[in-house]
Amino acid sequence: MNKTASVIDALIREARGALRRTLTEPETKTILKAYSIPVPRFKVIRDRETAKAVADTLTYPLALKVISRELTHKSEAGGVALGMHNAKNVEDGLFEIMLNVADDAPQAVIEGFLIEEMAPRGVEVIVGAIRDPVFGPAVMFGTGGLAVEILKDVTFALSPIDREGAFEMMNEVKGFGLLTGARGGGFKDLDAIADVIMKVSRIMEENPEITELEINPLIVYRKGASAVDARATLTAVV
Amino acid sequence: MSSGADPNFFFKPETVAVIGATEASGKISGIIMDSLASSGFQGRIYPVNPKYSSVKGYECYPSIGAIGEAVDVAIVALPAFAVAQALEEAASRVRGAIVIGGGFSEAGEAGQALERELKSLAVKTGMRIIGPNCMGIYDTVSRLDTFFIPPERIKRPGTGHLSVVSQSGSFAVTAMDELASESTGIARVISYGNSSDVNESDLLEFLADDEHTSAVAMYLEAVVDGQRFIKAAARCAAKKPVMAVKAGRGGAGQRATFSHTASIAGRYEIYKAAFKKAGIIELDGYEEFIAACKVFGAAKARPSGGARVMIITDGGGVGVALADECARRGLEAVPLKKEVEDGLSSMLPPYFAVGNPLDLTGSATDEWFASSLEKTMAGDDYDVAIVAALWGPPGLTDGLARGIAVKADESGKPVIICSPGGEYSRDKSRLFTGAGLPVFSTPESAVRAASILAKDAAFRKGRERKPTRRQARNE
């Protein structure tokens, strides 16, 4: 078994051991990293005391996100704090998140925190995948961010997807103009998006235990892209 | 998926048995006997029913075993509970069965159990089964007709080169009836119902190599084996246009909806993606299905090279409506080249505004239509012509359709007729269908037909561009 496979295998085994079907954000990002999909640099802490030391090993500004299997929508429960510029900010931010979660989702068990370098602004897209019982893995691409459920400006393609197929997908969504300079935004790195689409397709092909995978947003720049938030689900064990 | 023999023998049977045959013309098996007798089927017909010694003038046998030879196709018109036993007894002497009746997996748990019996029978004996809960086969090549609705209610299309594959029997017969009324011919129609054994992939594999079929139109509810379907459809679509309607769009399946992806991914999005992968032209419902059948099935149907449309009419408003619809559907009503414009101007009165759309006005004649079509389609400026002949101008005669058909042949390009209007126009539009041209009654439906041709052209161009990789992937 190669390194990528063994890293992912260990993750899945751990989740299974804890009777979980959902992977946490850092777990999902570890899978993305294993397939060299760019993610912001991040660390996971289990308690507030280590926060300062860990934060100082990263480059400010930082984002903080709560890790809890009960909270699939972290920001709605106040589980995210952005723009931490120093260690003091980080400590305050963690405290605030804990209070928010205690208020909004008192039943949620906080397993730890993700401390992550803030990604610069760019164009937000979504790359997701599901495993269809009849046709196998299908990859979704579309206009990303919070509006995805409302706009549904997305397209699907079945795995495997080559570079040309990835570009066809980009062409099929209305938001394509946002990537090619509409509203003065400049031309974005379409090849970087194509890489992510093809790699997500490969992750689904090579890891039959993953039934859903989603990167939202994938922030795209003039050069490069970054998977800022991600989630994954495992198949049900029968 | 069955491991049995390929089901091609269903389309060239020499011997056909009707299990449960009766004399009564009002009964399903009686109608099937009538159809077989009158459809021109050249093979041997064996009614099977222990109650009779003859049915409809044919010697009737008490069992399949009593027939002196093996049977290629046994049509089973028995109640659901009796089917499995009858087929079990017949299996060693029957290559394939068409199980017409319902009462199987579509009808609750007891029916599901009966269908599982059929399935395992097919696996165990190697006998292939079409159905149950289907109409079976209407075939203008072998002349087999197992459709149990009499021709006075559902007209049978004449011989053509389009084949229809339908999971639904009612969809298949209704489409057949409409196509017959439009003089669109058919090669084979297969209504395969619950697909207990023979499924859409088997049929695509057969039709891919069928020399009598040059286009395939499908109605699908649920595909059995996704990977095999994509492979079979891609192979068929590489040889001839394959189009499909996917019915039953609702339902997000049994997925958890943890991610946005899963909540957006309905069954239909996945089928769309599958169609795209296989190179199947997606049709969005019944109307588009009929449009596709006409534009690929008409006697003078031809594939289009692309999306450049020439519009010729004698009604300015209809011309503009056609041009608007072209723009909406991504087709291009490209302006005329200078030399073509000059050629038309020299034919028409000096005060004419010559362009695309070309409006021949109330002064139009048969000859103007024919020559305009000839002059505009001769070069490589256009891929398809839409001719909207309104019947007002006194200069138009019944010879118009023939003239246009001749020029369509000479051009080697598809010509679509748009013939809006009431009784008189509808009556006259038969001249066009009779001449083998696809006819549509509104500008919107005519342009929709042109856009289906353009989609086919785009798929073909895509395949030409990357033949090696597609092939490699489909091996």
Side-chain angles (χ1 to χ4, degrees):
Chain A
M1 193 182 285
N2 62 37
K3 191 166 157 279
T4 307
S6 65
V7 165
I8 295 172
D9 210 52
L11 270 174
I12 292 175
R13 262 207 318 276
E14 196 189 318
R16 291 283 195 221
L19 302 176
R20 278 192 289 137
R21 277 193 61 202
T22 55
L23 299 184
T24 61
E25 181 178 345
E27 285 170 337
T28 309
K29 283 181 169 169
T30 304
I31 294 176
L32 300 181
K33 265 172 76 177
Y35 278 83
S36 53
I37 291 174
V39 297
R41 279 216 303 152
F42 69 88
K43 293 272 165 64
V44 172
I45 56 165
R46 297 293 169 192
D47 51 65
R48 226 149 51 89
E49 287 64 43
T50 51
K52 184 182 176 320
V54 170
D56 285 341
T57 65
L58 298 169
T59 308
Y60 291 99
L62 300 174
L64 308 174
K65 299 177 187 174
V66 68
I67 301 170
S68 168
R69 76 189 70 167
E70 281 91 2
L71 294 175
T72 48
H73 297 287
K74 294 181 287 278
S75 44
E76 275 125 70
V80 177
L82 302 176
M84 310 288 114
H85 287 277
N86 51 49
K88 170 90 172 52
N89 285 167
V90 168
E91 290 191 325
D92 293 348
L94 289 175
F95 195 64
E96 197 179 319
I97 288 177
M98 288 168 80
L99 289 178
N100 286 343
V101 172
D103 268 358
D104 279 32
Q107 83 291 353
V109 176
I110 295 178
E111 290 155 44
F113 294 91
L114 183 75
I115 305 188
E116 158 177 285
E117 294 179 357
M118 288 280 291
R121 281 169 177 276
V123 175
E124 296 190 346
V125 298
I126 180 169
V127 178
I130 53 133
R131 191 174 300 284
D132 183 78
V134 176
F135 291 104
V139 177
M140 183 181 95
F141 169 79
T143 307
L146 297 172
V148 63
E149 285 270 30
I150 297 160
L151 298 179
K152 292 197 171 86
D153 178 27
V154 297
T155 184
F156 285 82
L158 296 187
S159 239
I161 299 168
D162 56 19
R163 189 162 295 274
E164 198 171 336
F167 271 86
E168 272 172 35
M169 290 179 80
M170 288 184 236
N171 234 319
E172 282 165 7
V173 300
K174 296 188 190 81
F176 184 57
L178 297 170
L179 298 166
T180 54
R183 308 192 59 198
F187 213 83
K188 298 295 181 268
D189 192 343
L190 302 183
D191 266 307
I193 301 175
D195 282 339
V196 173
I197 290 173
M198 289 187 290
K199 282 170 182 168
V200 164
S201 163
R202 252 187 63 210
I203 293 173
M204 295 300 282
E205 298 260 329
E206 293 172 4
N207 300 281
E209 299 219 58
I210 299 175
T211 185
E212 285 176 49
L213 175 68
E214 183 168 279
I215 302 169
N216 185 34
L218 175 74
I219 299 188
V220 192
Y221 306 105
R222 204 172 61 76
K223 183 119 190 58
S226 180
V228 170
D229 197 358
R231 50 185 61 197
T233 315
L234 304 178
T235 51
V237 186
V238 262
Chain B
M1 203 195 327
S2 169
S3 52
D6 71 46
N8 301 2
F9 63 85
F10 278 108
F11 303 97
K12 39 182 182 289
E14 288 174 14
T15 49
V16 170
V18 180
I19 301 179
T22 61
E23 196 71 33
S25 288
K27 287 204 170 179
I28 283 177
S29 56
I31 298 167
I32 293 171
M33 284 300 296
D34 285 338
S35 297
L36 284 174
S38 63
S39 66
F41 176 65
Q42 295 296 308
R44 294 175 293 287
I45 300 167
Y46 299 112
V48 176
N49 192 334
K51 286 194 275 187
Y52 306 106
S53 59
S54 90
V55 168
K56 307 263 183 196
Y58 294 89
E59 184 180 353
C60 187
Y61 295 79
S63 67
I64 290 277
I67 301 170
E69 61 177 327
V71 169
D72 290 326
V73 175
I75 302 158
V76 187
L78 295 173
F81 68 86
V83 171
Q85 201 199 335
L87 284 181
E88 181 123 43
E89 285 164 17
S92 63
R93 301 177 61 87
V94 170
R95 293 176 82 185
I98 299 175
V99 181
I100 301 290
F104 291 88
S105 66
E106 80 284 3
E109 260 174 57
Q112 281 161 18
L114 290 174
E115 189 159 321
R116 277 196 297 276
E117 269 185 73
L118 288 191
K119 224 175 246 194
S120 52
L121 189 67
V123 172
K124 195 174 75 190
T125 64
M127 176 177 58
R128 301 306 306 263
I129 297 174
I130 292 180
N133 188 24
C134 72
M135 292 276 182
I137 296 172
Y138 170 74
D139 192 328
T140 65
V141 184
S142 76
R143 299 269 161 205
L144 187 67
D145 180 357
T146 71
F147 279 51
F148 58 79
I149 299 177
E152 50 290 7
R153 297 217 175 171
I154 292 289
K155 222 169 142 187
R156 306 301 200 253
T159 305
H161 54 266
L162 170 83
S163 288
V164 172
V165 173
S166 176
Q167 224 158 345
S168 151
S170 62
F171 197 96
V173 289
T174 313
M176 267 167 68
D177 192 28
E178 276 206 43
L179 295 175
S181 308
E182 299 266 353
S183 310
T184 301
I186 281 285
R188 327 203 191 239
V189 181
I190 307 109
S191 146
Y192 65 103
N194 296 0
S195 52
S196 67
D197 175 40
V198 174
N199 63 34
E200 52 286 332
S201 303
D202 292 307
L203 297 169
L204 280 168
E205 271 161 23
F206 163 68
L207 293 172
D209 298 325
D210 178 23
E211 56 174 21
H212 299 284
T213 297
S214 66
V216 179
M218 310 184 85
Y219 166 95
L220 294 170
E221 283 169 10
V223 162
V224 177
D225 176 343
Q227 294 309 318
R228 188 170 164 235
F229 172 75
I230 287 172
K231 216 169 127 184
R235 189 171 83 84
C236 191
K239 295 183 169 188
K240 49 195 85 173
V242 178
M243 307 148 272
V245 175
K246 158 73 177 103
R249 295 188 180 191
Q254 294 300 309
R255 291 186 211 104
T257 51
F258 173 63
S259 61
H260 294 300
T261 311
S263 69
I264 296 174
R267 299 299 310 139
Y268 195 61
E269 279 68 26
I270 303 300
Y271 271 86
K272 268 172 91 109
F275 289 175
K276 200 166 59 177
K277 183 135 225 153
I280 295 175
I281 301 164
E282 175 201 349
L283 305 172
D284 76 359
Y286 182 78
E287 264 185 46
E288 204 159 292
F289 182 86
I290 296 294
C293 286
K294 279 156 68 172
V295 83
F296 282 106
K300 298 212 180 294
R302 285 182 192 85
S304 164
R308 299 166 305 166
V309 183
M310 179 66 212
I311 299 167
I312 303 172
T313 183
D314 53 0
V318 170
V320 176
L322 283 164
D324 284 351
E325 189 64 13
C326 281
R328 203 173 71 82
R329 287 192 176 266
L331 304 176
E332 303 165 73
V334 186
L336 294 168
K337 271 216 190 100
K338 183 75 174 71
E339 58 268 31
V340 178
E341 195 181 314
D342 291 345
L344 288 167
S345 295
S346 65
M347 173 184 83
L348 298 166
Y351 56 86
F352 262 57
V354 172
N356 182 17
L358 179 64
D359 179 8
L360 299 175
T361 76
S363 317
T365 63
D366 296 356
E367 290 70 33
W368 283 7
F369 265 108
S371 311
S372 303
L373 188 60
E374 180 179 22
K375 287 185 203 303
T376 51
M377 300 308 279
D380 185 33
D381 303 342
Y382 299 99
D383 302 304
V384 57
I386 301 179
V387 177
L390 312 182
W391 286 93
L396 297 184
T397 75
D398 286 2
L400 175 66
R402 180 66 42 207
I404 289 173
V406 167
K407 295 304 175 191
D409 274 345
E410 285 174 13
S411 76
K413 292 175 181 170
V415 174
I416 292 168
I417 304 296
C418 172
S419 180
E423 229 169 278
Y424 183 83
S425 304
R426 264 175 250 153
D427 196 38
K428 288 291 176 196
S429 78
R430 295 222 177 85
L431 297 168
F432 292 112
T433 52
L437 295 164
V439 180
F440 298 88
S441 61
T442 65
E444 290 77 9
S445 56
V447 173
R448 172 151 60 186
S451 86
I452 295 168
L453 287 178
K455 279 180 201 162
D456 169 56
F459 272 133
R460 257 183 294 119
K461 277 185 191 154
R463 274 187 284 267
E464 278 159 24
R465 209 169 51 237
K466 43 187 175 180
T468 47
R469 208 188 54 225
R470 291 252 184 206
Q471 268 162 20
R473 200 191 292 154
N474 296 335
E475 286 321 314

